[in-house]
Amino acid sequence: MTAVITVPASLDDTTFELVFEQLAAQPADAKVIVDARHCTWASPYGLVNLLTLAQSRTERPTFLIPEDQDKVTYWARAGFFKFATELYDVQGTIPRPRGSGDSDVLLDLTQITKSDDVHDVVERVKDKVTQIIINKLHLAARATMGITMALSESCQNIIEHAGRGGWVMAQTYQYRKRLGGRHAIVIAVSDAGVGFRRSLESSPRRPMTDRWSDGFALETAFVSGVSRFPEPGRGQGLKGIRGYVNRWDGKFTVRSGTARIGMIPTWDDDVPRADGLAPFPGAQLQITIPEKVAA
Amino acid sequence: MMRIDVGSVLRHSANLPYGDLVTRSTGAAVRRCIEAELAGLGEDDVATLDFTHIGMMDYSCADEVVAKLLLDLARRGARPSSLVFHGITDAHLEAIEDVLLHHGLALVVHFADGAARLVGAVSEEERIIWQLVHTRGGVQAEDLAAERDRAADEVLLVLEALYDRRLLRRDGFTFAPIGVVS
């Protein structure tokens, strides 16, 4: 039996929960058709997770591309179809990608499978990130290094913990609703690996509690900085990202399994922790750094 | 004084074709190369790690190249007696400060513009005393006690703590900065 997973018209971290919910109703080996025909907008979180979705399936899924050719062209330029065609049976005409050429795309969709990929990401973004931080977000030059470090650490999370490859994408946006027209950098990182709970379960550092859950595991790693590795310096990457995001009034969320945890700034109305979400493997990170408000 | 160009270690000794210190595996490879070079130093030598040719450094690399290096040297009672970090910029400092605070460590940093600073887990009094020693170039506890309006034995305790953490050098009763770059 084949199930159709409908992609919402606007695909971001909030609306992707609708995709996870539809997917959770299907057995892992069921054939699914991911129907993006009516999708008119997707954030980096949406695009990286469409790839992760396919990676999580036993049976190769089918993907119906957006009807809006502008969107298809944009997704192609962002590198989406380069990976999607490896993971999905893609139905529809895909234009030949001609490089992003888009000043808003900080980092095209990039696959992360090994340490060299992280070096490549850092090398590719560092010139452009300086321009964006200073000219669009009006932050101090020191913020440039922090965002590159956040990218590096979140990508390393895949290599160190996921047990399989994942994807990263970064872009700037002008937020019309929540940020009153301010610009923001958005970084999304996703994998379909073992996730935080199973990663910590493989370690003696896992807290022994009968309340153990995806949410507890996320809190253990995100708030307490506990990693599956025993060395005292481990687990500091997430803590470092939190410190950076907090310093620049940003938002940082991590979803894993059936839970999501986040550092939520005052300009956003998300909740700091959500449990009982639709199950999905691996870890899905999103970092948002907004433009500085003029004093 | 031994000077180790960390950029050169990254590209040549560790054989990694990069300009940035990112990823834990890169940091571990660089640290092992630096440890091998430091093994040849004698007692009371000062080694300078020069980061001038390093672009950025992330937390994982800082943990390997900075924190683990300092911890391993202290644990093994290894020489050199002191390490100084030279050529540090804002591109390195955020990660370095984070890992030093996490491990309760401190080090002397010489910035690219020549300024020196004590970075990491130190008390305000330790920072002030260290700065005074650095400004004067060589002092005894009694001199600083008068200036700080403190008892000499209290100041001596702070100076000895800084010396024990390899953040100052000592010659008899005189305490002096380490690794002043000429």
Side-chain angles (χ1 to χ4, degrees):
Chain A
M1 179 157 159
T2 300
V4 176
I5 308 294
T6 305
V7 177
S10 178
L11 190 61
D12 60 13
D13 54 322
T14 304
T15 58
F16 211 101
E17 290 300 326
L18 301 172
V19 177
F20 289 139
E21 284 167 16
Q22 293 174 70
L23 208 61
Q26 305 303 323
D29 58 352
K31 170 80 176 172
V32 296
I33 297 172
V34 177
D35 182 358
R37 284 177 300 167
H38 303 297
C39 184
T40 55
W41 185 85
S43 70
Y45 187 93
L47 292 180
V48 295
N49 282 304
L50 283 174
L51 296 177
T52 310
L53 183 165
Q55 196 186 23
S56 73
R57 306 300 298 174
T58 312
E59 184 80 17
R60 186 179 171 88
T62 296
F63 187 81
L64 307 182
I65 69 171
E67 288 175 344
D68 182 341
Q69 274 304 300
D70 287 345
K71 291 300 142 204
V72 176
T73 303
Y74 175 77
W75 289 17
R77 286 206 314 253
F80 176 75
F81 292 111
K82 182 170 77 177
F83 301 111
T85 49
E86 293 172 7
L87 297 161
Y88 287 101
D89 290 324
V90 177
Q91 291 190 7
T93 307
I94 305 165
R96 187 191 299 264
R98 287 168 294 173
S100 81
D102 187 333
S103 63
D104 289 338
V105 176
L106 174 60
L107 178 70
D108 292 345
L109 260 163
T110 302
Q111 190 163 26
I112 304 293
T113 59
K114 56 190 184 304
S115 182
D116 284 354
D117 296 331
V118 183
H119 280 278
D120 179 53
V121 162
V122 168
E123 195 58 39
R124 280 163 55 195
V125 304
K126 63 184 183 185
D127 289 338
K128 200 164 183 179
V129 85
T130 306
Q131 294 169 24
I132 291 171
I133 286 283
I134 295 170
N135 299 332
K136 273 197 171 170
L137 303 192
H138 306 113
L139 303 179
R142 191 174 178 184
T144 303
M145 290 307 146
I147 197 106
T148 315
M149 280 196 285
L151 252 175
S152 168
E153 294 293 346
S154 48
C155 290
Q156 282 180 73
N157 209 51
I158 296 174
I159 296 163
E160 301 259 352
H161 302 286
R164 67 193 302 184
W167 284 272
V168 58
M169 183 180 175
Q171 185 162 7
T172 56
Y173 286 109
Q174 188 171 15
Y175 273 67
R176 300 195 190 283
K177 285 184 190 168
R178 282 176 292 179
L179 278 164
R182 279 194 278 164
H183 288 92
I185 283 184
V186 179
I187 298 170
V189 180
S190 180
D191 68 76
V194 300
F196 277 69
R197 184 162 60 89
R198 276 184 54 202
S199 176
L200 284 170
E201 280 171 356
S202 68
S203 162
R205 300 185 73 198
R206 171 207 153 166
M208 299 312 290
T209 168
D210 55 6
R211 294 191 298 124
W212 186 245
S213 64
D214 287 317
F216 201 107
L218 275 176
E219 203 166 295
T220 302
F222 192 84
V223 179
S224 309
V226 174
S227 153
R228 74 184 164 101
F229 295 104
E231 301 102 286
R234 292 297 191 131
Q236 295 310 295
L238 281 182
K239 186 182 165 197
I241 298 173
R242 280 178 49 214
Y244 171 76
V245 170
N246 184 49
R247 200 150 42 250
W248 302 104
D249 193 30
K251 179 180 177 183
F252 178 29
T253 58
V254 184
R255 188 196 198 282
S256 186
T258 57
R260 190 181 69 242
I261 196 163
M263 236 177 61
I264 313 300
T266 52
W267 50 261
D268 194 272
D269 56 6
D270 203 348
V271 292
R273 178 170 158 177
D275 293 271
L277 303 175
F280 191 71
Q284 295 77 45
L285 283 70
Q286 182 169 263
I287 299 165
T288 306
I289 302 294
E291 179 181 351
K292 186 180 176 184
V293 183
Chain B
M1 180 188 290
M2 173 183 267
R3 192 182 195 101
I4 298 172
D5 181 345
V6 180
S8 178
V9 169
L10 174 65
R11 284 178 284 276
H12 300 118
S13 306
N15 202 22
L16 298 165
Y18 310 119
D20 300 299
L21 278 177
V22 295
T23 79
R24 190 166 284 277
S25 56
T26 299
V30 168
R31 175 174 50 80
R32 284 192 288 270
C33 293
I34 293 172
E35 282 173 345
E37 293 204 36
L38 294 179
L41 284 175
E43 191 168 340
D44 292 332
D45 281 339
V46 177
T48 299
L49 297 187
D50 188 349
F51 288 79
T52 305
H53 301 114
I54 292 295
M56 66 155 291
M57 189 186 320
D58 68 12
Y59 304 105
S60 300
C61 247
D63 191 57
E64 289 289 336
V65 177
V66 179
K68 274 193 179 172
L69 189 62
L70 293 176
L71 287 169
D72 286 354
L73 287 171
R75 193 178 304 123
R76 289 188 282 127
R79 298 294 179 255
S81 64
S82 303
L83 274 180
V84 177
F85 283 47
H86 179 68
I88 296 294
T89 67
D90 281 350
H92 315 124
L93 201 56
E94 183 159 333
I96 289 176
E97 281 186 315
D98 257 36
V99 300
L100 290 175
L101 289 172
H102 177 73
H103 290 280
L105 296 167
L107 57 80
V108 178
V109 161
H110 288 259
F111 291 93
D113 63 3
R117 205 171 96 195
L118 194 55
V119 174
V122 287
S123 68
E124 193 53 31
E125 185 64 8
E126 285 174 321
R127 195 180 300 281
I128 291 168
I129 295 285
W130 181 89
Q131 191 60 52
L132 285 170
V133 174
H134 193 268
T135 306
R136 301 279 187 76
V139 288
Q140 297 191 359
E142 288 76 10
D143 306 326
L144 294 180
E147 186 165 339
R148 294 285 297 150
D149 196 20
R150 299 272 306 271
D153 55 350
E154 286 176 15
V155 173
L156 184 60
L157 280 177
V158 177
L159 287 166
E160 285 178 335
L162 290 168
Y163 169 72
D164 288 344
R165 297 176 74 185
R166 307 169 188 225
L167 302 169
L168 291 177
R169 61 190 170 88
R170 181 177 192 172
D171 184 9
F173 294 105
T174 303
F175 293 84
I178 56 164
V180 176
V181 179
S182 55

